[in-house]
Amino acid sequence: MRARMMLTTADFEDAAREALDPVYYDYVAGGARDEVTLRANREAFGRLNLLPRILRGRDKRDLDRTLFDCPMSMPLLLSPTAFHRLAHPEGELATARAAAAAGVVMIVSMASTVAVEDIAAAARTVTTERPPALWFQLYLQPDPDVTEALVERATAAGCAALVVTVDSPVLGLHERNKRNGFDDLPTGMACENLRNLRGGEPGSVRQIAMSAELSWEHLDRLRHSTRLPVLLKGVLHPEDARLAVEHGVDGLLLSNHGGRQLDTVPATVDLLPEILDAVAGRVPVLLDGGVRRGTDIVKALALGAAAVGIGRPVVWGLAADGEDGVRAVLELLRGELDHTLALCGATGVDDLVRDLVRPGFPGLR
Ligand SMILES: Cc1cc2nc3c(=O)[nH]c(=O)nc-3n(C[C@H](O)[C@H](O)[C@H](O)COP(=O)(O)O)c2cc1C
Ligand SMILES: CC(C)CC(=O)C(=O)O
C-alpha cells in the first residue's frame, strides 16, 4: 500500500481520525449544537478572494513578526487547546518542543494535561535562534484568589502573556460528547495546572468554574494584579472590543472558540473588519477559527490581524505523529504562507493590505 502523502492539514486530520479513539476524535473535531459556526469559519475563508499584485515581489520573503516582545518566525501561533495527552502520551511536552523548534508561540491551556512548569522546561530543551515563548490561557474564576494563584503559577513558569477566555459563562454544549458519554478525562490524566493549586486539589476538570456572574470587575482585578500583557479571547461584539480596550487589555484574540461555544455566531474572519474598526489600532487583534491554509493566513493578515492561531490542526499533528507531527503541520503552513505571499506579489507579512482581499466573486468558491 502506498504511504499517505501528508500535503495538507486535512491529511493530518485523516491520519488523526485513524489514530485516535473515536470518542476523542469527536471531542476535538466537534462543535456546539448544529456546528453552524464550526462550518462557517471554514466557509468564510473560502468565500473571500485574493486579488494579487504583479511584478513587485521578492525572492526571499520576510515572515517574522514580534508581538508582546516575543519574536516569532511567522505570525502563526498555537491557540490553546486542552487535554493533549488524549492525542499523544507525551501530550503538551511534544507540542511545546515542536512550537519552540518552529519559533512560534504556544498558548498553553489552563486545562493542559501536563503542568505549565514542565511544558516550559520541555520548550527550553530546544535550541533555536529565538527563545521559546509560551503564553498562558485561563478562564477567570469566580474566586479571584484562584485566578491569582493560577496567574502566579504561569508567571513563575515564565509565560510571557496571559490570554483570558471570556466566551464561556457556561460550557458550550457538544451533542457529539453527550452521545459518546465523554465528560471527563480518563483515569491517569488530570488538569495538571489545577492540581495542588492552593491546597490538595486533585486537578479535576470540574475544578474549572464557568460562571455567568463574572464581570468586568473580575477582569480589572486581574489587570491590576499582573504586569504581563493581558489578551482577551472570545470578544465578538464590537462594543465589547471597545470596552476591553478601555479596561486596559493589551490585545484581543478574535475567536469563536472554533465554533465550540455559542453556535450560530459569525465566522471570525467575517467579523474581523468590524472589530478592527472598533479597536482603531489601539491594541493588536489576533484571530483564530478555521485557519487551515496559507491563503487563510494571508487573508486574515491582509485584513489587519496581527497574527492567526490554529487549534485543531495542532491536535491532528500531535495525534498523527507526536512532536514531529505538530512540527510538520507548522512547517506545512509556513510553506503555504510563503508560497501565497509570493503569488500575491508581497515582500513579506508586513506587505499585506486590505486591498488584496475581496468579498467573493459570484461563482468562485
Ligand atoms: C480540542 C479543543 C480544545 C480547546 N480547548 C480550549 C481551551 O482550553 N481554552 C480555550 O480558550 N480555547 C480552547 N479551544 C479553542 C481554541 O483555542 C481555538 O479558539 C479554536 O480551536 C480555533 O479554531 P480551529 O480549531 O478551527 O483552529 C479548544 C479547541 C479545541 C478544538
Ligand atoms: C472547557 C475546556 C476544558 C476545554 C475547551 O475549552 C474546549 O474543549 O473547547
Side-chain angles (χ1 to χ4, degrees), residues 48 238 242 254 267-280 285 287 299-300 302-305 354 357:
L48 293 173
R242 263 184 222 105
L254 173 58
T268 45
V269 74
D270 282 341
L271 273 176
L272 182 60
E274 234 187 299
I275 295 288
L276 284 165
D277 288 349
V279 165
V285 176
L287 169 145
K299 286 171 190 175
L303 288 171
R354 265 193 195 193
V357 182

PDB file of all heavy atoms in Angstrom, residues 48 238 242 254 267-280 285 287 299-300 302-305 354 357:
ATOM      1  N   LEU A  48     -13.954  34.464   0.684  1.00  0.00           N
ATOM      2  CA  LEU A  48     -13.111  35.632   0.400  1.00  0.00           C
ATOM      3  C   LEU A  48     -12.148  35.290  -0.731  1.00  0.00           C
ATOM      4  O   LEU A  48     -11.614  34.189  -0.783  1.00  0.00           O
ATOM      5  CB  LEU A  48     -12.300  36.015   1.643  1.00  0.00           C
ATOM      6  CG  LEU A  48     -13.086  36.543   2.832  1.00  0.00           C
ATOM      7  CD1 LEU A  48     -12.170  36.725   4.040  1.00  0.00           C
ATOM      8  CD2 LEU A  48     -13.749  37.876   2.480  1.00  0.00           C
ATOM      9  N   PRO A 238     -18.418  44.287  18.683  1.00  0.00           N
ATOM     10  CA  PRO A 238     -17.510  45.433  18.615  1.00  0.00           C
ATOM     11  C   PRO A 238     -17.593  46.339  19.853  1.00  0.00           C
ATOM     12  O   PRO A 238     -16.578  46.922  20.256  1.00  0.00           O
ATOM     13  CB  PRO A 238     -17.945  46.198  17.362  1.00  0.00           C
ATOM     14  CG  PRO A 238     -18.951  45.374  16.689  1.00  0.00           C
ATOM     15  CD  PRO A 238     -19.307  44.186  17.510  1.00  0.00           C
ATOM     16  N   ARG A 242     -14.458  47.550  22.229  1.00  0.00           N
ATOM     17  CA  ARG A 242     -14.175  48.912  22.714  1.00  0.00           C
ATOM     18  C   ARG A 242     -14.005  48.913  24.227  1.00  0.00           C
ATOM     19  O   ARG A 242     -13.068  49.498  24.766  1.00  0.00           O
ATOM     20  CB  ARG A 242     -15.337  49.842  22.342  1.00  0.00           C
ATOM     21  CG  ARG A 242     -15.077  50.614  21.102  1.00  0.00           C
ATOM     22  CD  ARG A 242     -16.192  51.611  20.787  1.00  0.00           C
ATOM     23  NE  ARG A 242     -16.431  51.531  19.373  1.00  0.00           N
ATOM     24  CZ  ARG A 242     -17.466  50.946  18.787  1.00  0.00           C
ATOM     25  NH1 ARG A 242     -18.435  50.432  19.509  1.00  0.00           N
ATOM     26  NH2 ARG A 242     -17.556  50.890  17.478  1.00  0.00           N
ATOM     27  N   LEU A 254      -9.453  37.437  18.526  1.00  0.00           N
ATOM     28  CA  LEU A 254     -10.810  37.308  17.994  1.00  0.00           C
ATOM     29  C   LEU A 254     -11.063  35.824  17.695  1.00  0.00           C
ATOM     30  O   LEU A 254     -10.384  35.236  16.851  1.00  0.00           O
ATOM     31  CB  LEU A 254     -10.929  38.156  16.721  1.00  0.00           C
ATOM     32  CG  LEU A 254     -12.232  38.020  15.936  1.00  0.00           C
ATOM     33  CD1 LEU A 254     -13.443  38.363  16.785  1.00  0.00           C
ATOM     34  CD2 LEU A 254     -12.185  38.913  14.702  1.00  0.00           C
ATOM     35  N   ALA A 267     -18.570  33.762  11.566  1.00  0.00           N
ATOM     36  CA  ALA A 267     -17.182  33.350  11.360  1.00  0.00           C
ATOM     37  C   ALA A 267     -16.267  34.496  11.793  1.00  0.00           C
ATOM     38  O   ALA A 267     -16.586  35.673  11.568  1.00  0.00           O
ATOM     39  CB  ALA A 267     -16.958  33.042   9.882  1.00  0.00           C
ATOM     40  N   THR A 268     -15.142  34.150  12.388  1.00  0.00           N
ATOM     41  CA  THR A 268     -14.258  35.212  12.900  1.00  0.00           C
ATOM     42  C   THR A 268     -13.727  36.112  11.779  1.00  0.00           C
ATOM     43  O   THR A 268     -13.637  37.319  11.965  1.00  0.00           O
ATOM     44  CB  THR A 268     -13.087  34.612  13.695  1.00  0.00           C
ATOM     45  OG1 THR A 268     -12.551  33.507  12.967  1.00  0.00           O
ATOM     46  CG2 THR A 268     -13.534  34.155  15.068  1.00  0.00           C
ATOM     47  N   VAL A 269     -13.392  35.538  10.648  1.00  0.00           N
ATOM     48  CA  VAL A 269     -12.811  36.388   9.604  1.00  0.00           C
ATOM     49  C   VAL A 269     -13.851  37.369   9.058  1.00  0.00           C
ATOM     50  O   VAL A 269     -13.509  38.476   8.623  1.00  0.00           O
ATOM     51  CB  VAL A 269     -12.137  35.548   8.478  1.00  0.00           C
ATOM     52  CG1 VAL A 269     -13.156  34.885   7.572  1.00  0.00           C
ATOM     53  CG2 VAL A 269     -11.155  36.397   7.685  1.00  0.00           C
ATOM     54  N   ASP A 270     -15.126  36.995   9.128  1.00  0.00           N
ATOM     55  CA  ASP A 270     -16.177  37.936   8.706  1.00  0.00           C
ATOM     56  C   ASP A 270     -16.297  39.094   9.697  1.00  0.00           C
ATOM     57  O   ASP A 270     -16.666  40.209   9.320  1.00  0.00           O
ATOM     58  CB  ASP A 270     -17.530  37.217   8.597  1.00  0.00           C
ATOM     59  CG  ASP A 270     -17.644  36.399   7.308  1.00  0.00           C
ATOM     60  OD1 ASP A 270     -16.877  36.670   6.362  1.00  0.00           O
ATOM     61  OD2 ASP A 270     -18.487  35.490   7.258  1.00  0.00           O
ATOM     62  N   LEU A 271     -16.014  38.834  10.967  1.00  0.00           N
ATOM     63  CA  LEU A 271     -16.137  39.881  11.989  1.00  0.00           C
ATOM     64  C   LEU A 271     -14.905  40.780  12.069  1.00  0.00           C
ATOM     65  O   LEU A 271     -14.968  41.867  12.647  1.00  0.00           O
ATOM     66  CB  LEU A 271     -16.300  39.234  13.374  1.00  0.00           C
ATOM     67  CG  LEU A 271     -17.699  38.865  13.811  1.00  0.00           C
ATOM     68  CD1 LEU A 271     -17.640  38.159  15.160  1.00  0.00           C
ATOM     69  CD2 LEU A 271     -18.566  40.127  13.940  1.00  0.00           C
ATOM     70  N   LEU A 272     -13.804  40.288  11.529  1.00  0.00           N
ATOM     71  CA  LEU A 272     -12.528  40.987  11.736  1.00  0.00           C
ATOM     72  C   LEU A 272     -12.563  42.480  11.386  1.00  0.00           C
ATOM     73  O   LEU A 272     -12.140  43.308  12.208  1.00  0.00           O
ATOM     74  CB  LEU A 272     -11.420  40.242  10.973  1.00  0.00           C
ATOM     75  CG  LEU A 272     -10.003  40.783  11.094  1.00  0.00           C
ATOM     76  CD1 LEU A 272      -9.512  40.775  12.540  1.00  0.00           C
ATOM     77  CD2 LEU A 272      -9.042  39.959  10.218  1.00  0.00           C
ATOM     78  N   PRO A 273     -13.085  42.864  10.214  1.00  0.00           N
ATOM     79  CA  PRO A 273     -13.064  44.305   9.893  1.00  0.00           C
ATOM     80  C   PRO A 273     -13.811  45.146  10.935  1.00  0.00           C
ATOM     81  O   PRO A 273     -13.327  46.213  11.336  1.00  0.00           O
ATOM     82  CB  PRO A 273     -13.745  44.367   8.521  1.00  0.00           C
ATOM     83  CG  PRO A 273     -13.522  43.013   7.924  1.00  0.00           C
ATOM     84  CD  PRO A 273     -13.584  42.054   9.081  1.00  0.00           C
ATOM     85  N   GLU A 274     -14.959  44.647  11.412  1.00  0.00           N
ATOM     86  CA  GLU A 274     -15.736  45.407  12.384  1.00  0.00           C
ATOM     87  C   GLU A 274     -14.984  45.543  13.716  1.00  0.00           C
ATOM     88  O   GLU A 274     -14.997  46.597  14.358  1.00  0.00           O
ATOM     89  CB  GLU A 274     -17.055  44.664  12.650  1.00  0.00           C
ATOM     90  CG  GLU A 274     -18.292  45.508  12.439  1.00  0.00           C
ATOM     91  CD  GLU A 274     -19.549  44.773  12.888  1.00  0.00           C
ATOM     92  OE1 GLU A 274     -19.835  43.710  12.309  1.00  0.00           O
ATOM     93  OE2 GLU A 274     -20.207  45.254  13.803  1.00  0.00           O
ATOM     94  N   ILE A 275     -14.348  44.480  14.130  1.00  0.00           N
ATOM     95  CA  ILE A 275     -13.596  44.514  15.396  1.00  0.00           C
ATOM     96  C   ILE A 275     -12.393  45.454  15.260  1.00  0.00           C
ATOM     97  O   ILE A 275     -12.091  46.246  16.157  1.00  0.00           O
ATOM     98  CB  ILE A 275     -13.137  43.087  15.804  1.00  0.00           C
ATOM     99  CG1 ILE A 275     -14.352  42.210  16.109  1.00  0.00           C
ATOM    100  CG2 ILE A 275     -12.179  43.125  16.989  1.00  0.00           C
ATOM    101  CD1 ILE A 275     -15.102  42.524  17.391  1.00  0.00           C
ATOM    102  N   LEU A 276     -11.734  45.384  14.116  1.00  0.00           N
ATOM    103  CA  LEU A 276     -10.578  46.273  13.913  1.00  0.00           C
ATOM    104  C   LEU A 276     -11.018  47.732  13.912  1.00  0.00           C
ATOM    105  O   LEU A 276     -10.328  48.596  14.473  1.00  0.00           O
ATOM    106  CB  LEU A 276      -9.872  45.929  12.602  1.00  0.00           C
ATOM    107  CG  LEU A 276      -9.020  44.663  12.650  1.00  0.00           C
ATOM    108  CD1 LEU A 276      -8.673  44.211  11.245  1.00  0.00           C
ATOM    109  CD2 LEU A 276      -7.752  44.883  13.471  1.00  0.00           C
ATOM    110  N   ASP A 277     -12.151  48.010  13.310  1.00  0.00           N
ATOM    111  CA  ASP A 277     -12.646  49.396  13.312  1.00  0.00           C
ATOM    112  C   ASP A 277     -12.916  49.851  14.742  1.00  0.00           C
ATOM    113  O   ASP A 277     -12.595  50.974  15.124  1.00  0.00           O
ATOM    114  CB  ASP A 277     -13.927  49.515  12.479  1.00  0.00           C
ATOM    115  CG  ASP A 277     -13.636  49.403  10.989  1.00  0.00           C
ATOM    116  OD1 ASP A 277     -12.433  49.441  10.627  1.00  0.00           O
ATOM    117  OD2 ASP A 277     -14.577  49.243  10.189  1.00  0.00           O
ATOM    118  N   ALA A 278     -13.504  48.961  15.562  1.00  0.00           N
ATOM    119  CA  ALA A 278     -13.827  49.330  16.950  1.00  0.00           C
ATOM    120  C   ALA A 278     -12.553  49.582  17.757  1.00  0.00           C
ATOM    121  O   ALA A 278     -12.491  50.496  18.584  1.00  0.00           O
ATOM    122  CB  ALA A 278     -14.653  48.224  17.600  1.00  0.00           C
ATOM    123  N   VAL A 279     -11.545  48.794  17.503  1.00  0.00           N
ATOM    124  CA  VAL A 279     -10.302  48.896  18.273  1.00  0.00           C
ATOM    125  C   VAL A 279      -9.449  50.070  17.791  1.00  0.00           C
ATOM    126  O   VAL A 279      -8.676  50.650  18.558  1.00  0.00           O
ATOM    127  CB  VAL A 279      -9.543  47.539  18.181  1.00  0.00           C
ATOM    128  CG1 VAL A 279      -8.116  47.660  18.636  1.00  0.00           C
ATOM    129  CG2 VAL A 279     -10.284  46.479  18.997  1.00  0.00           C
ATOM    130  N   ALA A 280      -9.605  50.418  16.523  1.00  0.00           N
ATOM    131  CA  ALA A 280      -8.948  51.586  15.919  1.00  0.00           C
ATOM    132  C   ALA A 280      -7.443  51.630  16.185  1.00  0.00           C
ATOM    133  O   ALA A 280      -6.886  52.667  16.539  1.00  0.00           O
ATOM    134  CB  ALA A 280      -9.621  52.870  16.432  1.00  0.00           C
ATOM    135  N   VAL A 285      -4.963  42.932  17.193  1.00  0.00           N
ATOM    136  CA  VAL A 285      -6.065  41.964  17.148  1.00  0.00           C
ATOM    137  C   VAL A 285      -5.564  40.707  16.434  1.00  0.00           C
ATOM    138  O   VAL A 285      -5.141  40.770  15.276  1.00  0.00           O
ATOM    139  CB  VAL A 285      -7.294  42.539  16.407  1.00  0.00           C
ATOM    140  CG1 VAL A 285      -8.395  41.487  16.282  1.00  0.00           C
ATOM    141  CG2 VAL A 285      -7.811  43.788  17.119  1.00  0.00           C
ATOM    142  N   LEU A 287      -6.438  36.528  15.465  1.00  0.00           N
ATOM    143  CA  LEU A 287      -7.667  35.818  15.070  1.00  0.00           C
ATOM    144  C   LEU A 287      -7.414  34.318  15.050  1.00  0.00           C
ATOM    145  O   LEU A 287      -6.330  33.876  14.670  1.00  0.00           O
ATOM    146  CB  LEU A 287      -8.087  36.301  13.682  1.00  0.00           C
ATOM    147  CG  LEU A 287      -9.186  35.524  12.944  1.00  0.00           C
ATOM    148  CD1 LEU A 287     -10.048  36.488  12.137  1.00  0.00           C
ATOM    149  CD2 LEU A 287      -8.618  34.441  12.017  1.00  0.00           C
ATOM    150  N   LYS A 299      -5.159  36.054   4.068  1.00  0.00           N
ATOM    151  CA  LYS A 299      -6.406  36.853   4.084  1.00  0.00           C
ATOM    152  C   LYS A 299      -6.572  37.540   5.432  1.00  0.00           C
ATOM    153  O   LYS A 299      -6.880  38.740   5.498  1.00  0.00           O
ATOM    154  CB  LYS A 299      -7.617  35.952   3.796  1.00  0.00           C
ATOM    155  CG  LYS A 299      -7.710  35.526   2.331  1.00  0.00           C
ATOM    156  CD  LYS A 299      -8.789  34.453   2.124  1.00  0.00           C
ATOM    157  CE  LYS A 299      -8.676  33.894   0.701  1.00  0.00           C
ATOM    158  NZ  LYS A 299      -9.598  32.764   0.457  1.00  0.00           N
ATOM    159  N   ALA A 300      -6.366  36.798   6.517  1.00  0.00           N
ATOM    160  CA  ALA A 300      -6.550  37.388   7.850  1.00  0.00           C
ATOM    161  C   ALA A 300      -5.526  38.504   8.091  1.00  0.00           C
ATOM    162  O   ALA A 300      -5.862  39.575   8.615  1.00  0.00           O
ATOM    163  CB  ALA A 300      -6.447  36.313   8.928  1.00  0.00           C
ATOM    164  N   ALA A 302      -3.943  40.265   5.795  1.00  0.00           N
ATOM    165  CA  ALA A 302      -4.213  41.401   4.898  1.00  0.00           C
ATOM    166  C   ALA A 302      -5.380  42.234   5.425  1.00  0.00           C
ATOM    167  O   ALA A 302      -5.377  43.461   5.306  1.00  0.00           O
ATOM    168  CB  ALA A 302      -4.509  40.888   3.490  1.00  0.00           C
ATOM    169  N   LEU A 303      -6.351  41.583   6.042  1.00  0.00           N
ATOM    170  CA  LEU A 303      -7.481  42.348   6.595  1.00  0.00           C
ATOM    171  C   LEU A 303      -7.073  43.116   7.850  1.00  0.00           C
ATOM    172  O   LEU A 303      -7.798  44.000   8.299  1.00  0.00           O
ATOM    173  CB  LEU A 303      -8.653  41.405   6.897  1.00  0.00           C
ATOM    174  CG  LEU A 303      -9.390  40.855   5.671  1.00  0.00           C
ATOM    175  CD1 LEU A 303     -10.385  39.773   6.073  1.00  0.00           C
ATOM    176  CD2 LEU A 303     -10.113  41.984   4.912  1.00  0.00           C
ATOM    177  N   GLY A 304      -5.931  42.731   8.442  1.00  0.00           N
ATOM    178  CA  GLY A 304      -5.431  43.518   9.580  1.00  0.00           C
ATOM    179  C   GLY A 304      -5.136  42.736  10.849  1.00  0.00           C
ATOM    180  O   GLY A 304      -4.768  43.327  11.872  1.00  0.00           O
ATOM    181  N   ALA A 305      -5.280  41.415  10.824  1.00  0.00           N
ATOM    182  CA  ALA A 305      -4.930  40.636  12.022  1.00  0.00           C
ATOM    183  C   ALA A 305      -3.420  40.699  12.243  1.00  0.00           C
ATOM    184  O   ALA A 305      -2.634  40.665  11.287  1.00  0.00           O
ATOM    185  CB  ALA A 305      -5.370  39.183  11.849  1.00  0.00           C
ATOM    186  N   ARG A 354      -5.410  45.533   2.982  1.00  0.00           N
ATOM    187  CA  ARG A 354      -6.811  45.101   2.827  1.00  0.00           C
ATOM    188  C   ARG A 354      -7.238  44.918   1.378  1.00  0.00           C
ATOM    189  O   ARG A 354      -8.063  44.075   1.060  1.00  0.00           O
ATOM    190  CB  ARG A 354      -7.747  46.137   3.469  1.00  0.00           C
ATOM    191  CG  ARG A 354      -8.125  45.806   4.886  1.00  0.00           C
ATOM    192  CD  ARG A 354      -9.281  46.668   5.371  1.00  0.00           C
ATOM    193  NE  ARG A 354      -9.358  46.545   6.837  1.00  0.00           N
ATOM    194  CZ  ARG A 354     -10.389  46.953   7.573  1.00  0.00           C
ATOM    195  NH1 ARG A 354     -11.417  47.543   7.016  1.00  0.00           N
ATOM    196  NH2 ARG A 354     -10.377  46.806   8.872  1.00  0.00           N
ATOM    197  N   VAL A 357      -7.771  41.616  -0.494  1.00  0.00           N
ATOM    198  CA  VAL A 357      -8.874  40.690  -0.194  1.00  0.00           C
ATOM    199  C   VAL A 357     -10.175  41.288  -0.693  1.00  0.00           C
ATOM    200  O   VAL A 357     -10.481  42.449  -0.420  1.00  0.00           O
ATOM    201  CB  VAL A 357      -8.978  40.447   1.331  1.00  0.00           C
ATOM    202  CG1 VAL A 357     -10.086  39.442   1.636  1.00  0.00           C
ATOM    203  CG2 VAL A 357      -7.649  39.959   1.882  1.00  0.00           C
TER     204      VAL A 357
END
